[in-house]
Amino acid sequence: ANERGGAAMPDERAQLPRSVVLSLISESIPSDLRTSQEFRNVLFDCIGEFIELASSEAMEVTEKRGKKLISAQFLLQALEDLGFKHLIPELQKAAADQKEAASIKRSKKKKNKITEEEMREMLEEQQRLFQAAREQYTGQ
């Protein structure tokens, strides 16, 4: 299914970027091994199939619970239902890390926001400093 809920067209199949997959392959195998183009093509197909299977099952879990939004919790349940329970702890850790990173990013964004009052006060202080500098320069 595509993101609009319709059936996926063959060229719309969910895929990870090729560069990401190639990087994962090179990190996963010894440096003295190489992979054939046929191997990489089959792996890309497998990844697409896995994504479709997991998202389809997650959609079913979501619908069974009467929800409209597939959450991480529903995806994890789907993976367990599909027999991929061994992946769940690592995925939960990755989700927690992502959530923490997003929280840190949001808090940094909040810290960087300047209120209108603070901006007005800073502009007034800047004007006072410029006036003091002018007076000192002109000897008044």
Side-chain angles (χ1 to χ4, degrees):
N2 64 24
E3 62 189 68
R4 293 173 301 280
M9 299 299 289
D11 58 344
E12 288 184 15
R13 173 177 246 160
Q15 291 288 333
L16 292 174
R18 291 183 78 83
S19 61
V20 171
V21 175
L22 294 174
S23 178
L24 290 170
I25 292 170
S26 66
E27 291 172 10
S28 301
I29 64 172
S31 60
D32 61 333
L33 284 181
R34 296 181 332 150
T35 60
S36 70
Q37 184 63 44
E38 179 184 15
F39 167 83
R40 292 187 297 267
N41 289 340
V42 169
L43 187 61
F44 288 121
D45 287 343
C46 290
I47 290 167
E49 285 290 330
F50 181 79
I51 291 170
E52 281 188 32
L53 179 66
S55 59
S56 177
E57 187 69 23
M59 185 175 62
E60 286 182 27
V61 170
T62 303
E63 289 173 350
K64 284 179 186 173
R65 298 196 181 177
K67 303 291 182 180
K68 297 280 186 192
L69 178 68
I70 300 174
S71 68
Q73 173 189 356
F74 298 156
L75 175 61
L76 295 175
Q77 181 61 56
L79 290 173
E80 185 173 339
D81 294 349
L82 290 168
F84 294 103
K85 188 174 184 171
H86 63 283
L87 297 177
I88 293 174
E90 188 173 341
L91 294 173
Q92 287 173 323
K93 183 186 178 320
D97 291 348
Q98 176 61 31
K99 192 173 186 177
E100 182 180 342
S103 175
I104 290 169
K105 188 175 181 179
R106 279 192 306 272
S107 76
K108 282 183 180 179
K109 208 173 196 180
K110 282 183 181 178
K111 287 180 185 177
N112 290 336
K113 284 189 177 178
I114 299 173
T115 65
E116 286 185 39
E117 178 68 19
E118 291 169 326
M119 181 62 81
R120 187 183 55 75
E121 290 173 2
M122 288 188 297
L123 287 172
E124 288 173 0
E125 178 65 18
Q126 183 183 40
Q127 289 172 350
R128 283 193 294 274
L129 291 170
F130 281 148
Q131 182 61 36
R134 272 194 293 279
E135 288 173 3
Q136 185 178 14
Y137 179 72
T138 59
Q140 296 178 352

